Amino acid sequence: MSRDIRITPSILNADFTRLDDEISKISAQSDLIHLDIMDDIFVPNKTFDFESASRIISRCPIPVDAHLMVADVDSIAVQYAEAGAASVTIHVEAADDIRTTLKEIRRHGARAAMALKPGTSIEQYSEYFDLVDMVLIMTVEPGFGGQAFMEQMMPKVRETRKLIGDRPIWLQVDGGISLATIEMAHEAGADTFVAGSAVFKAEDPGLMVELLRRQVSID
Ligand code: DX5
Ligand code: ZN
């Protein structure tokens, strides 16, 4: 398997009081920073409001991958693209007009991505593949970092990889990714890995990003 690999650390479990510092520990080793936006409606947790998120996006030394876990995502998604996020991910469960929203994200210069919660199956969403640059298969219920990796999502990752076929779409997994689980997800077809607590609870977060990458780069 020789696929390009991307490691996108989530700052959800980083120290929010000194984010610049936390980001500087991993920016040299990471492909993108994964920014989790939660509104306490779509998921039972709240992170950054738009203003703080925009500030993070504009200060971040590497591209930002915004994962929007918010209700009424259709109108909000475009704002993140405008704010400079390199990639904007909407949950299919939260969007009213998936097609238009994905198109709008791209029209505003960002990569467009769609995410699926563990209980949502992929079949009916492959019709949007011509409009996405990445598909995110959640490997935990969205809302919190530090949860256990759901191995039972691997058949869905495999199926998504098959449905993607030759298209240049990244396949991302998010939730419970660590040195113990990343290979399983890679083997199932993922090429873009979010890791939150595994990275920020490590003694050397930058080294952990490298170790995760190495784990899936040896064929
Ligand atoms: C969970 C978030 C994840 C989270 C991952 O809803 O979408 O990005 O930060 O954290 P870990 O890697 O600790 O599961
Ligand atoms: Zn996330």
Side-chain angles (χ1 to χ4, degrees):
M1 216 183 291
S2 62
R3 216 177 282 137
D4 281 350
I5 298 297
R6 281 153 298 263
I7 310 287
T8 62
S10 160
I11 55 172
L12 186 61
N13 272 309
D15 182 349
F16 286 0
T17 63
R18 39 185 206 93
L19 261 189
D20 284 355
D21 221 41
E22 294 281 79
I23 290 175
S24 72
K25 291 180 188 165
I26 51 156
S27 49
Q29 294 84 357
S30 308
D31 298 282
L32 299 101
I33 296 288
H34 183 84
L35 184 62
D36 290 302
I37 309 296
M38 307 185 188
D39 64 352
D40 206 17
I41 300 170
F42 181 68
V43 289
N45 194 7
K46 200 173 174 118
T47 55
F48 311 99
D49 58 20
F50 179 68
E51 212 179 58
S52 339
S54 322
R55 212 173 311 126
I56 297 171
I57 293 167
S58 61
R59 295 167 68 103
C60 194
I62 64 170
V64 171
D65 166 33
H67 176 196
L68 306 183
M69 287 161 276
V70 298
D72 295 325
V73 71
D74 304 78
S75 55
I76 297 167
V78 172
Q79 299 177 30
Y80 278 87
E82 280 174 336
S87 174
V88 178
T89 301
I90 60 164
H91 267 269
V92 294
E93 304 89 354
D96 282 331
D97 187 346
I98 298 174
R99 186 168 292 277
T100 305
T101 304
L102 291 170
K103 279 188 187 162
E104 282 297 294
I105 294 170
R106 276 186 171 172
R107 203 168 68 79
H108 285 81
R111 294 173 59 89
M114 67 178 177
L116 277 71
K117 289 178 19 168
T120 307
S121 55
I122 186 70
E123 294 84 15
Q124 68 188 106
Y125 296 105
S126 60
E127 64 170 294
Y128 300 109
F129 278 8
D130 53 333
L131 299 171
V132 296
D133 301 293
M134 180 170 81
V135 177
L136 164 55
I137 302 297
M138 291 302 297
T139 42
V140 295
E141 282 299 337
F144 300 93
Q147 303 181 75
F149 177 74
M150 295 171 72
E151 191 177 338
Q152 63 271 36
M153 291 300 114
M154 294 307 95
K156 185 155 91 177
V157 173
R158 239 175 260 284
E159 190 185 347
T160 305
R161 171 55 65 197
K162 210 194 251 166
L163 288 167
I164 286 174
D166 289 339
R167 300 177 182 91
I169 298 175
W170 298 353
L171 177 47
Q172 186 177 48
V173 281
D174 180 6
I177 297 296
S178 69
L179 287 175
T181 57
I182 193 167
E183 266 180 288
M184 212 188 299
H186 177 248
E187 211 272 318
D191 56 16
T192 306
F193 304 88
V194 179
S197 42
V199 168
F200 282 100
K201 287 200 190 321
E203 206 171 304
D204 183 341
L207 176 63
M208 180 51 71
V209 174
E210 267 316 303
L211 292 174
L212 287 165
R213 188 188 305 285
R214 248 182 261 165
Q215 189 99 336
V216 290
S217 301
I218 306 156
D219 286 330

